[in-house]
Amino acid sequence: MESFLYLVVALIARIHSYIMTINDQSSYGFTDKHLHFIVIGILGIVLVFIVHPIFKWLSDTGHIMVVSFFYVFTVIIVITFAIEIGQRITGTGNMEFADIAYGILGFLAMFAVFAVIRGIYLLIRKHLSK
């Protein structure tokens, strides 16, 4: 997990450098904040156009739990990163990728247990209704 996160960070750094190079070579003169506004805005809208149809389809086919899982998983990732960054800034702990990975794995493990229990419940309910 740690190597994957480093890979993602390196990829983002390369994209950032590429965009900054294009900006510096052009006459636009955008600041870093302008570029964040533009790039993240475009990325967000592109993701909406990708995610919305998928989530709508999942909802229409009765898979709303999958939508809930993806939402909560995303929030958990943001929270674990925020906790680690907060520890770094405040000095209340060590900022480690392993902590992020273990936090995410904790959620995945607990969700797996929940999914199994829910599956058993739904299976029993289905058989009792026949």
Side-chain angles (χ1 to χ4, degrees):
M1 179 69 143
E2 184 175 347
S3 60
F4 173 73
L5 291 174
Y6 277 116
L7 179 68
V8 170
V9 169
L11 178 65
I12 291 171
R14 287 183 69 193
I15 293 169
H16 184 270
S17 294
Y18 176 73
I19 292 171
M20 289 303 290
T21 300
I22 290 172
N23 182 58
D24 293 345
Q25 292 173 352
S26 71
S27 60
Y28 297 124
F30 291 124
T31 66
D32 191 47
K33 292 184 181 26
H34 291 133
L35 290 171
H36 277 263
F37 178 87
I38 294 166
V39 172
I40 299 301
I42 291 170
L43 178 63
I45 289 301
V46 167
L47 286 172
V48 165
F49 288 134
I50 293 169
V51 169
H52 179 72
I54 294 169
F55 280 15
K56 182 157 179 22
W57 175 78
L58 286 168
S59 177
D60 291 346
T61 58
H63 293 92
I64 196 70
M65 184 58 73
V66 176
V67 175
S68 298
F69 170 80
F70 280 119
Y71 177 78
V72 172
F73 184 70
T74 304
V75 170
I76 290 297
I77 289 173
V78 170
I79 289 171
T80 56
F81 271 92
I83 290 169
E84 290 305 306
I85 292 167
Q87 285 181 342
R88 169 74 177 219
I89 291 170
T90 62
T92 58
N94 295 327
M95 184 175 168
E96 298 178 32
F97 282 119
D99 292 346
I100 294 168
Y102 275 89
I104 293 168
L105 287 173
F107 167 69
L108 291 174
M110 291 182 194
F111 188 85
V113 170
F114 164 74
V116 168
I117 292 169
R118 182 175 182 266
I120 292 168
Y121 167 76
L122 292 173
L123 190 64
I124 291 169
R125 197 171 120 190
K126 181 180 176 180
H127 286 300
L128 289 178
S129 67
K130 287 185 177 182

